[in-house]
Amino acid sequence: MTRPETWQLEAASYPITQVCQTRFQDVDPNRHLNNVAFASLFEHARVRLNRELRPWQERPKNERSMVAAVTINYLREGSYPEDVMVCSGVSKIGTSSYVIAQAMFQHDKCIATCDSVIVCRTDGEGKPLRQAVVDALEKMRTKN
């Protein structure tokens, strides 16, 4: 596992911030947030970013974006019932894919980072991102 870069540990590096409530069901036997809870909280914020980026009603019916890979780095224990802050942004833009970089904070400390590769498919095949999508992604860039 590669260690997160310094910029990834700073909330100010991300253009979008969302406070998420932790749930009792997120607690493991050691009374910490479990790894599935981390994944779920990152997913929730990632979906919100994608919906803001490309509202579902505005997407062409033959165009889909799909998660191709997710990497989570667990850095510290999280606790219940305190909320977490999930910060998100686009760190890389490729020809037919992009990377959503995220960091989760609790008590002003980064407790995890997440990188998700999102692939855009048109008519069931990988195709280059439309310019309108690239333009929207550029507006959500991380500061790295």
Side-chain angles (χ1 to χ4, degrees):
M1 171 176 80
T2 54
R3 297 187 63 83
E5 296 182 40
T6 304
W7 69 266
Q8 291 176 287
L9 307 176
E10 300 292 329
S13 299
Y14 302 87
I16 298 170
T17 299
Q18 182 174 354
V19 174
C20 299
Q21 185 178 22
T22 59
R23 306 164 301 175
F24 179 74
Q25 70 188 38
D26 296 337
V27 178
D28 67 16
N30 295 319
R31 304 178 124 192
H32 301 116
L33 298 180
N34 65 48
N35 61 334
V36 175
F38 279 81
S40 177
L41 291 161
F42 278 128
E43 176 188 52
H44 177 72
R46 182 175 64 243
V47 169
R48 298 290 298 233
L49 180 146
N50 272 322
R51 289 190 68 192
E52 185 174 320
L53 168 70
R54 302 174 59 211
W56 288 343
Q57 66 274 18
E58 296 175 13
R59 295 178 188 199
K61 293 203 183 299
N62 65 335
E63 186 177 276
R64 298 179 53 174
S65 44
M66 304 180 339
V67 175
V70 176
T71 304
I72 298 174
N73 292 307
Y74 303 95
L75 306 173
R76 289 185 167 80
E77 296 169 341
S79 59
Y80 169 83
E82 293 83 19
D83 293 342
V84 295
M85 181 174 72
V86 181
C87 300
S88 306
V90 175
S91 62
K92 295 177 187 161
I93 301 172
T95 303
S96 61
S97 65
Y98 55 98
V99 176
I100 296 175
Q102 297 175 287
M104 187 180 302
F105 298 86
Q106 196 174 57
H107 307 295
D108 296 323
K109 292 189 166 102
C110 185
I111 61 173
T113 61
C114 179
D115 288 319
S116 300
V117 178
I118 310 298
V119 176
C120 192
R121 296 181 56 83
T122 304
D123 297 323
E125 297 179 8
K127 300 259 175 104
L129 296 166
R130 291 183 292 112
Q131 190 59 49
V133 174
V134 172
D135 293 345
L137 289 169
E138 287 291 351
K139 293 177 184 173
M140 296 185 176
R141 280 279 200 176
T142 55
K143 297 173 188 161
N144 49 344

